[in-house]
Amino acid sequence: MTDILDAEYRTSHVKVHDAAAFDGMRKAGRLAAECLDMLTPHVVPGVVTEKLDDLAREFILDHGALPACLGYRGYTKTVCISPNHIVCHGIPGERVLREGDIVNIDVTVIVDGWHGDTSRMYGVGPVAPRAKRLVDVTYESLARGLAAVKPGATTGDIGHAIQSYVESMRCSVVRDFCGHGLGKVFHDAPNILHFGQKGTGEVLKPGMFFTIEPMVNLGKHPVKLLADGWTAVTRDKSLSAQCEHSVGVTEDGVEVFTLSPTDQFKPPILSA
């Protein structure tokens, strides 16, 4: 179904949305965040990743929404689950999460045609200090990217804010994947690079919707795609972390659609 929506609505032009669209995105974003909140107590040592996928699918359908990833370009699961050195698009299956893992869960829901897309990091029991630091850096890089969003700024301003901070912390930003426009379409213009130069790229205007979703590696930035055609991993097998919000440009800044309603944006291991 999502392929049909994309084929009908995707263009190369950046869409500018009205107040009713903001309301639609708030509802979709909230449900996506609620799905990740629901999963928090289940991300424990010994859990099978397919069990988490089942829980997410049941939650989304029970709330009258659709899982956007299910069937999207042949993808057969509801969420992406990416532990440790998996950068993104990890496919849920028989893998068991173990104590000390860090894991990203990425979910997109469709509510009344609108897409809510978000991801966050979870610690599986106690994690090593270097893993915790990586997650902290990744969350802070997203915060700095969000702070760069305002009318008249550019997509390059967002990328520069993220890249300059991440590299100052001796980590690296993945170049192979980026944020994207969304709304009635899952992946739309503009592309939101997480690296770049100030003043370059698309000029931001009120009513633009997109995701910001930096992927940060503890080692070098190159990644490789596995044979399944989806799973991306770090080439040097270093740890990777990601976090993502769906946002809208307002008259004076940014509205984040996917904030956790229970303030679980950061998992418990990072709250101290």
Side-chain angles (χ1 to χ4, degrees), residues 179-242:
H180 53 88
L182 84 169
K184 291 276 186 160
V185 181
F186 193 171
H187 296 97
D188 206 356
N191 290 334
I192 306 296
L193 303 181
H194 304 117
F195 60 96
Q197 298 296 319
K198 288 183 177 180
T200 63
E202 194 79 34
V203 176
L204 305 183
K205 300 176 182 178
M208 291 171 61
F209 297 160
F210 48 82
T211 68
I212 305 177
E213 47 185 296
M215 302 166 206
V216 178
N217 295 346
L218 199 57
K220 297 180 180 180
H221 70 77
V223 306
K224 64 179 180 180
L225 194 65
L226 298 186
D228 60 30
W230 287 100
T231 307
V233 301
T234 55
R235 283 191 175 272
D236 60 9
K237 298 184 180 179
S238 64
L239 290 176
S240 187
Q242 182 192 12

Side-chain angles (χ1 to χ4, degrees), residues 107-121:
V107 62
T108 307
V109 304
I110 306 174
V111 178
D112 298 329
W114 296 100
H115 289 73
D117 187 2
T118 185
S119 80
R120 69 177 72 152
M121 296 299 298

Side-chain angles (χ1 to χ4, degrees), residues 119-141:
S119 80
R120 69 177 72 152
M121 296 299 298
Y122 299 80
V124 186
V127 301
R130 68 190 185 110
K132 179 184 183 300
R133 180 180 181 273
L134 173 65
V135 176
D136 284 340
V137 168
T138 307
Y139 274 77
E140 178 64 20
S141 75

Side-chain angles (χ1 to χ4, degrees), residues 135-169:
V135 176
D136 284 340
V137 168
T138 307
Y139 274 77
E140 178 64 20
S141 75
L142 174 59
R144 293 185 181 221
L146 292 170
V149 179
K150 59 183 178 181
T154 68
T155 55
D157 294 341
I158 300 171
H160 177 78
I162 292 169
Q163 180 185 12
S164 59
Y165 171 72
V166 168
E167 293 180 351
S168 76
M169 301 303 289

